mmCIF file of all heavy atoms in Angstrom:
data_model
loop_
_atom_site.group_PDB
_atom_site.id
_atom_site.type_symbol
_atom_site.label_atom_id
_atom_site.label_comp_id
_atom_site.label_asym_id
_atom_site.label_seq_id
_atom_site.Cartn_x
_atom_site.Cartn_y
_atom_site.Cartn_z
ATOM 1 N N LYS A 1 0.812 -1.226 0.000
ATOM 2 C CA LYS A 1 0.000 0.000 0.000
ATOM 3 C C LYS A 1 0.844 1.274 0.000
ATOM 4 O O LYS A 1 0.498 2.265 0.638
ATOM 5 C CB LYS A 1 -0.944 0.003 1.213
ATOM 6 C CG LYS A 1 -1.835 -1.221 1.307
ATOM 7 C CD LYS A 1 -2.729 -1.372 0.089
ATOM 8 C CE LYS A 1 -3.654 -2.585 0.209
ATOM 9 N NZ LYS A 1 -4.466 -2.781 -1.027
ATOM 10 N N GLY A 2 1.963 1.216 -0.720
ATOM 11 C CA GLY A 2 2.809 2.398 -0.847
ATOM 12 C C GLY A 2 3.779 2.609 0.299
ATOM 13 O O GLY A 2 4.557 3.570 0.279
ATOM 14 N N ILE A 3 3.754 1.749 1.305
ATOM 15 C CA ILE A 3 4.628 1.904 2.474
ATOM 16 C C ILE A 3 5.996 1.277 2.183
ATOM 17 O O ILE A 3 6.082 0.145 1.701
ATOM 18 C CB ILE A 3 3.998 1.246 3.719
ATOM 19 C CG1 ILE A 3 2.639 1.881 4.012
ATOM 20 C CG2 ILE A 3 4.931 1.372 4.916
ATOM 21 C CD1 ILE A 3 2.658 3.390 4.198
ATOM 22 N N VAL A 4 7.060 2.011 2.504
ATOM 23 C CA VAL A 4 8.414 1.505 2.248
ATOM 24 C C VAL A 4 9.235 1.315 3.528
ATOM 25 O O VAL A 4 10.223 0.569 3.516
ATOM 26 C CB VAL A 4 9.177 2.416 1.268
ATOM 27 C CG1 VAL A 4 8.498 2.429 -0.087
ATOM 28 C CG2 VAL A 4 9.330 3.838 1.795
ATOM 29 N N THR A 5 8.864 1.993 4.625
ATOM 30 C CA THR A 5 9.580 1.802 5.892
ATOM 31 C C THR A 5 8.601 1.816 7.062
ATOM 32 O O THR A 5 7.613 2.547 7.050
ATOM 33 C CB THR A 5 10.651 2.889 6.130
ATOM 34 O OG1 THR A 5 10.087 4.195 5.900
ATOM 35 C CG2 THR A 5 11.843 2.699 5.218
ATOM 36 N N ASP A 6 8.896 0.992 8.065
ATOM 37 C CA ASP A 6 8.089 0.896 9.284
ATOM 38 C C ASP A 6 8.940 1.207 10.515
ATOM 39 O O ASP A 6 10.144 0.929 10.538
ATOM 40 C CB ASP A 6 7.526 -0.516 9.467
ATOM 41 C CG ASP A 6 6.267 -0.778 8.654
ATOM 42 O OD1 ASP A 6 5.790 0.149 7.963
ATOM 43 O OD2 ASP A 6 5.779 -1.928 8.691
ATOM 44 N N SER A 7 8.285 1.741 11.541
ATOM 45 C CA SER A 7 8.923 1.932 12.832
ATOM 46 C C SER A 7 7.808 2.018 13.879
ATOM 47 O O SER A 7 6.638 1.750 13.575
ATOM 48 C CB SER A 7 9.781 3.212 12.838
ATOM 49 O OG SER A 7 10.636 3.242 13.963
ATOM 50 N N VAL A 8 8.151 2.369 15.098
ATOM 51 C CA VAL A 8 7.161 2.620 16.148
ATOM 52 C C VAL A 8 7.581 3.859 16.926
ATOM 53 O O VAL A 8 8.754 4.249 16.914
ATOM 54 C CB VAL A 8 6.999 1.421 17.120
ATOM 55 C CG1 VAL A 8 6.517 0.180 16.388
ATOM 56 C CG2 VAL A 8 8.291 1.140 17.869
ATOM 57 N N VAL A 9 6.622 4.471 17.605
ATOM 58 C CA VAL A 9 6.906 5.638 18.433
ATOM 59 C C VAL A 9 7.519 5.182 19.756
ATOM 60 O O VAL A 9 6.990 4.284 20.423
ATOM 61 C CB VAL A 9 5.624 6.450 18.699
ATOM 62 C CG1 VAL A 9 5.923 7.640 19.613
ATOM 63 C CG2 VAL A 9 5.007 6.937 17.380
ATOM 64 N N VAL A 10 8.652 5.809 20.130
ATOM 65 C CA VAL A 10 9.326 5.466 21.380
ATOM 66 C C VAL A 10 9.623 6.725 22.189
ATOM 67 O O VAL A 10 9.494 7.846 21.691
ATOM 68 C CB VAL A 10 10.648 4.696 21.123
ATOM 69 C CG1 VAL A 10 10.377 3.413 20.373
ATOM 70 C CG2 VAL A 10 11.662 5.563 20.388
ATOM 71 N N LEU A 11 10.026 6.521 23.437
ATOM 72 C CA LEU A 11 10.388 7.600 24.354
ATOM 73 C C LEU A 11 11.895 7.551 24.568
ATOM 74 O O LEU A 11 12.417 6.586 25.131
ATOM 75 C CB LEU A 11 9.652 7.429 25.686
ATOM 76 C CG LEU A 11 8.161 7.080 25.604
ATOM 77 C CD1 LEU A 11 7.577 6.891 27.012
ATOM 78 C CD2 LEU A 11 7.383 8.134 24.824
ATOM 79 N N VAL A 12 12.595 8.565 24.114
ATOM 80 C CA VAL A 12 14.050 8.624 24.251
ATOM 81 C C VAL A 12 14.391 9.433 25.496
ATOM 82 O O VAL A 12 13.879 10.546 25.684
ATOM 83 C CB VAL A 12 14.699 9.272 23.013
ATOM 84 C CG1 VAL A 12 16.219 9.320 23.166
ATOM 85 C CG2 VAL A 12 14.317 8.505 21.747
ATOM 86 N N VAL A 13 15.239 8.881 26.359
ATOM 87 C CA VAL A 13 15.546 9.520 27.644
ATOM 88 C C VAL A 13 17.058 9.637 27.832
ATOM 89 O O VAL A 13 17.845 9.019 27.113
ATOM 90 C CB VAL A 13 14.928 8.719 28.814
ATOM 91 C CG1 VAL A 13 13.411 8.698 28.704
ATOM 92 C CG2 VAL A 13 15.479 7.288 28.854
ATOM 93 N N ARG A 14 17.436 10.440 28.803
ATOM 94 C CA ARG A 14 18.854 10.622 29.112
ATOM 95 C C ARG A 14 19.477 9.333 29.654
ATOM 96 O O ARG A 14 18.769 8.464 30.180
ATOM 97 C CB ARG A 14 19.023 11.748 30.148
ATOM 98 C CG ARG A 14 18.458 13.090 29.718
ATOM 99 C CD ARG A 14 19.219 13.672 28.571
ATOM 100 N NE ARG A 14 18.617 14.919 28.061
ATOM 101 C CZ ARG A 14 18.973 15.510 26.927
ATOM 102 N NH1 ARG A 14 19.930 14.983 26.185
ATOM 103 N NH2 ARG A 14 18.375 16.619 26.541
ATOM 104 N N GLU A 15 20.788 9.228 29.546
ATOM 105 C CA GLU A 15 21.497 8.057 30.049
ATOM 106 C C GLU A 15 21.187 7.842 31.523
ATOM 107 O O GLU A 15 21.239 8.774 32.332
ATOM 108 C CB GLU A 15 23.005 8.225 29.846
ATOM 109 C CG GLU A 15 23.806 6.998 30.202
ATOM 110 C CD GLU A 15 25.286 7.153 29.882
ATOM 111 O OE1 GLU A 15 25.732 8.304 29.623
ATOM 112 O OE2 GLU A 15 26.002 6.137 29.899
ATOM 113 N N GLY A 16 20.820 6.615 31.851
ATOM 114 C CA GLY A 16 20.440 6.297 33.219
ATOM 115 C C GLY A 16 18.996 6.588 33.537
ATOM 116 O O GLY A 16 18.518 6.281 34.637
ATOM 117 N N ASN A 17 18.272 7.215 32.589
ATOM 118 C CA ASN A 17 16.851 7.542 32.746
ATOM 119 C C ASN A 17 16.584 8.207 34.100
ATOM 120 O O ASN A 17 15.827 7.690 34.930
ATOM 121 C CB ASN A 17 15.999 6.276 32.601
ATOM 122 C CG ASN A 17 14.531 6.579 32.334
ATOM 123 O OD1 ASN A 17 14.117 7.737 32.253
ATOM 124 N ND2 ASN A 17 13.737 5.535 32.219
ATOM 125 N N PRO A 18 17.187 9.382 34.340
ATOM 126 C CA PRO A 18 17.100 10.016 35.658
ATOM 127 C C PRO A 18 15.680 10.381 36.093
ATOM 128 O O PRO A 18 15.416 10.442 37.303
ATOM 129 C CB PRO A 18 17.962 11.278 35.511
ATOM 130 C CG PRO A 18 18.048 11.516 34.040
ATOM 131 C CD PRO A 18 18.027 10.169 33.411
ATOM 132 N N LYS A 19 14.776 10.608 35.168
ATOM 133 C CA LYS A 19 13.385 10.914 35.534
ATOM 134 C C LYS A 19 12.529 9.648 35.602
ATOM 135 O O LYS A 19 11.323 9.729 35.842
ATOM 136 C CB LYS A 19 12.772 11.897 34.528
ATOM 137 C CG LYS A 19 13.387 13.309 34.549
ATOM 138 C CD LYS A 19 13.035 14.047 35.832
ATOM 139 C CE LYS A 19 13.625 15.448 35.871
ATOM 140 N NZ LYS A 19 12.892 16.441 35.079
ATOM 141 N N ASN A 20 13.146 8.483 35.399
ATOM 142 C CA ASN A 20 12.465 7.182 35.461
ATOM 143 C C ASN A 20 11.212 7.175 34.588
ATOM 144 O O ASN A 20 10.119 6.798 35.017
ATOM 145 C CB ASN A 20 12.101 6.814 36.902
ATOM 146 C CG ASN A 20 11.687 5.350 37.030
ATOM 147 O OD1 ASN A 20 12.130 4.497 36.254
ATOM 148 N ND2 ASN A 20 10.835 5.059 37.996
ATOM 149 N N ILE A 21 11.382 7.576 33.357
ATOM 150 C CA ILE A 21 10.269 7.616 32.409
ATOM 151 C C ILE A 21 10.103 6.233 31.786
ATOM 152 O O ILE A 21 10.990 5.736 31.092
ATOM 153 C CB ILE A 21 10.527 8.684 31.327
ATOM 154 C CG1 ILE A 21 10.507 10.073 31.978
ATOM 155 C CG2 ILE A 21 9.500 8.590 30.204
ATOM 156 C CD1 ILE A 21 11.014 11.177 31.087
ATOM 157 N N GLN A 22 8.957 5.622 32.036
ATOM 158 C CA GLN A 22 8.686 4.276 31.548
ATOM 159 C C GLN A 22 7.423 4.185 30.702
ATOM 160 O O GLN A 22 7.227 3.199 29.990
ATOM 161 C CB GLN A 22 8.546 3.308 32.741
ATOM 162 C CG GLN A 22 9.752 3.245 33.647
ATOM 163 C CD GLN A 22 10.983 2.665 32.973
ATOM 164 O OE1 GLN A 22 10.885 1.954 31.971
ATOM 165 N NE2 GLN A 22 12.165 2.965 33.519
ATOM 166 N N SER A 23 6.568 5.203 30.809
ATOM 167 C CA SER A 23 5.268 5.114 30.146
ATOM 168 C C SER A 23 4.787 6.499 29.717
ATOM 169 O O SER A 23 5.380 7.531 30.087
ATOM 170 C CB SER A 23 4.234 4.496 31.092
ATOM 171 O OG SER A 23 3.935 5.405 32.145
ATOM 172 N N TRP A 24 3.704 6.525 28.970
ATOM 173 C CA TRP A 24 3.109 7.792 28.544
ATOM 174 C C TRP A 24 2.665 8.636 29.731
ATOM 175 O O TRP A 24 2.764 9.866 29.696
ATOM 176 C CB TRP A 24 1.920 7.514 27.622
ATOM 177 C CG TRP A 24 2.317 6.954 26.289
ATOM 178 C CD1 TRP A 24 2.281 5.642 25.895
ATOM 179 C CD2 TRP A 24 2.832 7.686 25.171
ATOM 180 N NE1 TRP A 24 2.745 5.505 24.614
ATOM 181 C CE2 TRP A 24 3.074 6.745 24.134
ATOM 182 C CE3 TRP A 24 3.103 9.031 24.940
ATOM 183 C CZ2 TRP A 24 3.581 7.131 22.887
ATOM 184 C CZ3 TRP A 24 3.607 9.408 23.702
ATOM 185 C CH2 TRP A 24 3.840 8.470 22.692
ATOM 186 N N ASP A 25 2.193 7.992 30.786
ATOM 187 C CA ASP A 25 1.746 8.742 31.966
ATOM 188 C C ASP A 25 2.885 9.535 32.584
ATOM 189 O O ASP A 25 2.671 10.622 33.134
ATOM 190 C CB ASP A 25 1.156 7.788 33.013
ATOM 191 C CG ASP A 25 -0.208 7.252 32.618
ATOM 192 O OD1 ASP A 25 -0.835 7.834 31.700
ATOM 193 O OD2 ASP A 25 -0.647 6.247 33.214
ATOM 194 N N ASP A 26 4.092 9.009 32.493
ATOM 195 C CA ASP A 26 5.234 9.694 33.094
ATOM 196 C C ASP A 26 5.561 11.010 32.388
ATOM 197 O O ASP A 26 6.162 11.907 32.981
ATOM 198 C CB ASP A 26 6.467 8.792 33.070
ATOM 199 C CG ASP A 26 6.327 7.575 33.968
ATOM 200 O OD1 ASP A 26 5.632 7.679 35.004
ATOM 201 O OD2 ASP A 26 6.896 6.516 33.624
ATOM 202 N N LEU A 27 5.155 11.146 31.129
ATOM 203 C CA LEU A 27 5.471 12.355 30.372
ATOM 204 C C LEU A 27 4.712 13.577 30.865
ATOM 205 O O LEU A 27 5.161 14.712 30.663
ATOM 206 C CB LEU A 27 5.156 12.159 28.880
ATOM 207 C CG LEU A 27 5.834 11.003 28.161
ATOM 208 C CD1 LEU A 27 5.499 11.063 26.677
ATOM 209 C CD2 LEU A 27 7.334 11.045 28.368
ATOM 210 N N VAL A 28 3.561 13.364 31.473
ATOM 211 C CA VAL A 28 2.716 14.507 31.859
ATOM 212 C C VAL A 28 2.823 14.811 33.350
ATOM 213 O O VAL A 28 2.022 15.582 33.886
ATOM 214 C CB VAL A 28 1.242 14.258 31.451
ATOM 215 C CG1 VAL A 28 1.144 14.182 29.927
ATOM 216 C CG2 VAL A 28 0.678 12.990 32.075
ATOM 217 N N LYS A 29 3.833 14.255 33.997
ATOM 218 C CA LYS A 29 4.070 14.580 35.398
ATOM 219 C C LYS A 29 4.739 15.946 35.510
ATOM 220 O O LYS A 29 5.440 16.378 34.591
ATOM 221 C CB LYS A 29 4.951 13.510 36.043
ATOM 222 C CG LYS A 29 4.275 12.160 36.204
ATOM 223 C CD LYS A 29 5.220 11.135 36.831
ATOM 224 C CE LYS A 29 4.520 9.805 37.040
ATOM 225 N NZ LYS A 29 5.440 8.777 37.615
ATOM 226 N N PRO A 30 4.533 16.652 36.615
ATOM 227 C CA PRO A 30 5.197 17.944 36.802
ATOM 228 C C PRO A 30 6.713 17.804 36.721
ATOM 229 O O PRO A 30 7.279 16.822 37.206
ATOM 230 C CB PRO A 30 4.755 18.356 38.217
ATOM 231 C CG PRO A 30 3.476 17.613 38.457
ATOM 232 C CD PRO A 30 3.645 16.306 37.743
ATOM 233 N N GLY A 31 7.358 18.775 36.080
ATOM 234 C CA GLY A 31 8.809 18.799 36.024
ATOM 235 C C GLY A 31 9.437 18.009 34.904
ATOM 236 O O GLY A 31 10.663 17.959 34.791
ATOM 237 N N VAL A 32 8.617 17.383 34.042
ATOM 238 C CA VAL A 32 9.142 16.643 32.897
ATOM 239 C C VAL A 32 9.016 17.522 31.655
ATOM 240 O O VAL A 32 7.942 18.020 31.339
ATOM 241 C CB VAL A 32 8.371 15.323 32.682
ATOM 242 C CG1 VAL A 32 8.828 14.641 31.393
ATOM 243 C CG2 VAL A 32 8.568 14.391 33.877
ATOM 244 N N SER A 33 10.117 17.734 30.954
ATOM 245 C CA SER A 33 10.095 18.563 29.743
ATOM 246 C C SER A 33 10.265 17.691 28.507
ATOM 247 O O SER A 33 11.129 16.817 28.462
ATOM 248 C CB SER A 33 11.183 19.641 29.797
ATOM 249 O OG SER A 33 12.462 19.071 29.911
ATOM 250 N N ILE A 34 9.427 17.954 27.500
ATOM 251 C CA ILE A 34 9.307 17.105 26.321
ATOM 252 C C ILE A 34 9.830 17.826 25.083
ATOM 253 O O ILE A 34 9.597 19.017 24.900
ATOM 254 C CB ILE A 34 7.823 16.731 26.088
ATOM 255 C CG1 ILE A 34 7.269 15.944 27.286
ATOM 256 C CG2 ILE A 34 7.648 15.943 24.789
ATOM 257 C CD1 ILE A 34 5.747 15.795 27.260
ATOM 258 N N VAL A 35 10.504 17.076 24.216
ATOM 259 C CA VAL A 35 10.867 17.565 22.884
ATOM 260 C C VAL A 35 10.164 16.678 21.858
ATOM 261 O O VAL A 35 10.248 15.449 21.927
ATOM 262 C CB VAL A 35 12.388 17.501 22.649
ATOM 263 C CG1 VAL A 35 12.728 17.969 21.229
ATOM 264 C CG2 VAL A 35 13.132 18.337 23.672
ATOM 265 N N THR A 36 9.456 17.304 20.945
ATOM 266 C CA THR A 36 8.818 16.596 19.836
ATOM 267 C C THR A 36 8.713 17.561 18.673
ATOM 268 O O THR A 36 8.632 18.773 18.889
ATOM 269 C CB THR A 36 7.426 16.046 20.223
ATOM 270 O OG1 THR A 36 6.930 15.175 19.193
ATOM 271 C CG2 THR A 36 6.428 17.154 20.472
#
């Protein structure tokens, strides 16, 4: 159907994951800053 590449949406975090981001819910907690 015209598709040539596949991937999935992921959450990229700093080394060691200092904010312990594991899920979508963690993104909307106070003090978490997002780049998109």
